[in-house]
């Protein structure tokens, strides 16, 4: 009986051991084989998946080729990046970029900028950076970005303006040296302190003509920044204040005060238009004048040396008036109305338009 029990216990033990040793491994093996079979040994599923991958890659490659082609062409056609990003062509390009970005969120920040740099490598860093930013920005935010960038670039432009150079004469306050330095050699830089937008945009006539001539921008921060930078420059040129600079401008150009300067400007204006009937007619209407700026008649006018000399002297007086008249930035806030200087609003506007011609001819 005892032997029978021992045999029974032994058989049960052997059975249990065999269960542990031989039943688990087949489970593991089956799971392994099953997974491998699902991944590697199911040719129908693999072909479908691979087909989808190949199709997606093919579509992306086609889109990237389009992006490259568009970038190469548009960067060649559009000399000004502002004109490009506001064109219908840009929206065609943007649509393709957004299509890829909707599937690959990192595309516009990692891959796409390299295509802009590659296809537009002959453009300025500002051009490339602006185009890249526009392509990375949602369509809803583009108008906001446009304003922000224009302000940012203008601010940087103002901060970099510098009147001080190696040719500063020791007797800079004396009339001949003063006028030679400020109104001949460094006229463009001095103009840029008072009209930075126009000097910066003069090569883009469409953008240039969209702004009123005697406003730096609606934002007074730009006026403040420009004047503060100018004051710092004057201090480096041994001129203690903006008021001293204004007095030197009048005195060294033989004007007793602002009113005498204004009368001189009026005479110059009448002299210029009396010798050019076509020009006087074009000044009357702003839309007509904008068309005139792009005409052959305008180019012919610029080739006239007598006209060039007259308008150069005229503009220098207008620049001086901008600087010496306190209302230009009274308390660093522009409050003036130019019509009060020149008989009435119409003639004031005509004088202002005449100055477009000078700045654009630089």
């Amino acid at each position: 009986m005892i032997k029978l029990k021992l045999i029974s216990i032994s058989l049960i033990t052997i059975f249990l051991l065999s269960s542990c040793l031989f039943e688990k491994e087949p489970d593991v093996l089956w799971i392994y084989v099953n997974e491998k079979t699902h991944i590697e040994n199911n040719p129908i599923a693999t072909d479908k998946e691979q087909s989808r991958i190949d199709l997606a890659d093919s579509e992306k490659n086609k889109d990237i080729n389009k992006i490259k082609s568009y970038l190469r062409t548009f960067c060649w056609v559009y000399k000004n990046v502002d004109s490009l990003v506001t064109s219908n062509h840009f929206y065609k390009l943007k649509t393709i970029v957004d299509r890829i970005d909707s599937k690959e969120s990192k595309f516009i920040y990692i891959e796409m900028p390299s295509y802009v740099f590659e296809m537009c490598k002959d453009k300025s860093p500002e051009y490339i950076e602006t185009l890249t930013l526009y392509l990375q920005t949602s369509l809803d935010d583009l108008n906001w970005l446009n304003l922000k960038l224009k302000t940012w670039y203008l601010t940087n432009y103002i901060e970099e303006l510098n009147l001080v150079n190696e040719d500063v004469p020791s007797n800079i306050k004396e009339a001949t040296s003063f006028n030679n330095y400020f109104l001949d050699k460094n006229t463009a830089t001095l103009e840029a302190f008072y009209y930075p937008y126009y000097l910066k945009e003069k090569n883009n006539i469409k953008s240039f003509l969209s702004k009123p001539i005697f406003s730096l921008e609606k934002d007074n921060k730009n006026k403040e920044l420009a004047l503060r930078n100018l004051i710092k420059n004057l201090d480096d040129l041994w001129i203690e204040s903006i008021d001293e600079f204004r007095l030197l401008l009048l005195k060294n150009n033989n004007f007793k005060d602002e009113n005498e300067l204004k009368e001189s400007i009026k005479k110059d204006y009448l002299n210029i238009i009396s010798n050019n009937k076509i020009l006087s007619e074009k000044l009357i209407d702003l839309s007509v004048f904008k068309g005139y700026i792009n005409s052959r008649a305008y180019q012919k006018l610029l080739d006239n040396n007598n006209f060039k000399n007259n308008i150069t002297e005229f503009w220098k007086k207008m620049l001086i008036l901008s600087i010496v008249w306190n209302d230009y930035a009274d308390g660093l806030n522009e409050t003036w109305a130019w019509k009060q200087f020149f008989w009435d609003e119409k003639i004031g506007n005509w004088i202002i338009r005449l100055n477009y011609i000078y700045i654009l001819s630089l």
Side-chain angles (χ1 to χ4, degrees), residues 2 6 16 47 70 95 103 105 174 202 276 340 348 354:
I2 294 173
L6 287 172
L16 290 172
D47 286 347
Y70 281 163
T95 300
K103 300 172 184 175
S105 59
E174 185 268 327
K202 66 186 178 70
N276 197 311
Q340 72 189 36
L354 189 58

Side-chain angles (χ1 to χ4, degrees), residues 213-214 265-266 269 283 314 318 337-356:
I213 188 73
F214 289 112
I265 289 172
K266 290 177 188 177
Y269 166 75
L283 293 173
F314 172 71
M318 289 293 288
W338 274 79
K339 62 184 180 183
Q340 72 189 36
F341 296 149
F342 305 107
W343 302 304
D344 59 31
E345 184 176 0
K346 285 184 178 179
I347 293 182
N349 284 335
W350 299 344
I351 288 176
I352 289 168
R353 288 167 196 164
L354 189 58
N355 281 281
Y356 275 118

Side-chain angles (χ1 to χ4, degrees), residues 84-248:
L84 170 53
V85 298
T86 54
S87 69
N88 290 331
H89 289 134
F90 171 78
Y91 287 97
K92 287 182 180 179
L93 173 61
K94 176 72 172 151
T95 300
I96 302 172
V97 169
D98 287 353
R99 185 161 66 225
I100 299 178
D101 182 55
S102 66
K103 300 172 184 175
E104 301 179 31
S105 59
K106 294 181 181 179
F107 173 76
I108 59 171
Y109 296 107
I110 296 174
E111 196 172 340
M112 186 272 295
S114 67
Y115 301 143
V116 179
F117 182 81
E118 180 186 355
M119 297 298 109
C120 305
K121 59 186 176 183
D122 294 333
K123 293 299 183 182
S124 69
E126 180 179 317
Y127 192 111
I128 292 171
E129 287 172 16
T130 301
L131 179 54
T132 302
L133 279 171
Y134 270 82
L135 289 171
Q136 290 174 338
T137 303
S138 69
L139 289 172
D140 293 337
D141 291 332
L142 284 183
N143 289 334
W144 170 83
L145 177 65
N146 184 40
L147 178 62
K148 188 174 180 68
L149 278 178
K150 281 187 177 295
T151 303
W152 185 77
Y153 285 132
L154 183 61
T155 299
N156 283 355
Y157 177 77
I158 292 170
E159 287 178 341
E160 291 171 3
L161 291 175
N162 185 23
L163 270 170
V164 185
N165 55 52
E166 296 176 358
D167 300 325
V168 181
S170 57
N171 60 338
I172 194 171
K173 295 184 183 181
E174 185 268 327
T176 303
S177 297
F178 181 92
N179 288 333
N180 182 53
Y181 189 82
F182 288 106
L183 300 178
D184 291 326
K185 288 184 178 179
N186 297 292
T187 313
T189 306
L190 184 58
E191 289 165 348
F193 278 105
Y194 279 83
Y195 310 106
Y197 176 86
Y198 298 99
L199 270 291
K200 184 176 179 299
E201 296 292 321
K202 66 186 178 70
N203 293 322
N204 180 9
I205 291 180
K206 182 179 178 182
S207 180
F208 180 97
L209 291 175
S210 70
K211 296 288 182 182
I213 188 73
F214 289 112
S215 172
L216 299 187
E217 274 282 39
K218 290 182 180 178
D219 185 357
N220 280 324
K221 289 181 181 178
N222 290 321
K223 303 178 183 71
E224 294 176 13
L225 180 62
L227 289 178
R228 285 173 182 159
N229 191 8
L230 173 62
I231 289 168
K232 181 180 178 297
N233 273 249
L234 293 175
D235 186 56
D236 292 338
L237 294 169
W238 310 300
I239 295 173
E240 295 180 1
S241 67
I242 191 73
D243 289 329
E244 182 185 6
F245 185 55
R246 288 167 175 160
L247 290 172
L248 287 168

